[in-house]
Amino acid sequence: MDAKMVTVPAFSVLGIESQGPAGAGPAWIGPLWDRANGRFDEIKHLTEPGRSGPLGKAWGLMSATDELLAPWKEEGRYLAGWEVEPGTEPPEGWTVWDIPEQTFAVVACTFATYGEAFRFGLDDFLPAEGYELAGAVHEFYPEEYRDIERDSLYLYFPVRKR
């Protein structure tokens, strides 16, 4: 596995939020994505490419239940959504999270290698490069992502120097 360092300008994500036990993420996050995808037509006009850069990109944002964008504890919050222009007002039933400009270690994975990629980022790459986790890890799904079994997604580890 490999990681690359990137600094990402501030961005906003419009999505549907839920929370649940950290150890059972797949059990409640998969259905959350089904719900968000099923309602995408309600917000499509806000996420179309060309409105202000590369919009239409999907993000799975994670957060602690008691502090926005902090790492999960025993429970976590998750926002299944799409990039929108900062300042976008969410329609009823939707939420916007604003992500500040940050430096991330980015690790590519598939659904099958997700756990391995997560451990590599936290346990191998960050310590070896002199970094520590500076917030919750996020998932990025590029526009070409279609097949959960085959296509790559990216884990974004917010970092700071130790």
Side-chain angles (χ1 to χ4, degrees):
M1 297 215 137
D2 195 18
K4 68 177 183 176
M5 300 299 295
V6 298
T7 297
V8 178
F11 65 98
S12 296
V13 174
L14 172 65
I16 296 179
E17 181 181 334
S18 189
Q19 70 181 55
W28 58 272
I29 292 172
L32 176 62
W33 271 111
D34 291 343
R35 217 167 82 222
N37 283 321
R39 293 182 55 191
F40 180 72
D41 283 346
E42 296 174 24
I43 62 159
K44 183 178 181 177
H45 65 286
L46 299 171
T47 65
E48 292 181 273
R51 290 182 61 89
S52 89
L55 302 177
K57 298 172 183 168
W59 287 88
L61 301 181
M62 297 185 219
S63 178
T65 57
D66 60 347
E67 182 184 350
L68 189 61
L69 303 179
W72 282 10
K73 297 172 186 161
E74 289 185 24
E75 288 217 349
R77 292 166 57 192
Y78 187 98
L79 184 75
W82 293 267
E83 276 188 46
V84 294
E85 289 185 42
T88 297
E89 286 296 319
E92 188 174 329
W94 294 84
T95 301
V96 172
W97 287 8
D98 297 314
I99 307 301
E101 178 175 314
Q102 311 188 296
T103 299
F104 294 92
V106 180
V107 179
C109 65
T110 62
F111 187 72
T113 62
Y114 188 100
E116 177 186 352
F118 209 96
R119 283 186 295 281
F120 168 78
L122 286 180
D123 300 337
D124 297 332
F125 183 80
L126 295 185
E129 298 299 319
Y131 290 103
E132 64 184 9
L133 194 63
V137 179
H138 304 305
E139 303 162 346
F140 173 70
Y141 298 87
E143 292 180 73
E144 62 274 6
Y145 186 88
R146 298 284 182 275
D147 185 338
I148 193 171
E149 299 299 324
R150 188 193 61 198
D151 291 341
S152 291
L153 64 122
Y154 300 87
L155 297 176
Y156 276 64
F157 297 83
V159 299
R160 65 177 160 250
K161 280 289 194 182
R162 281 190 276 147

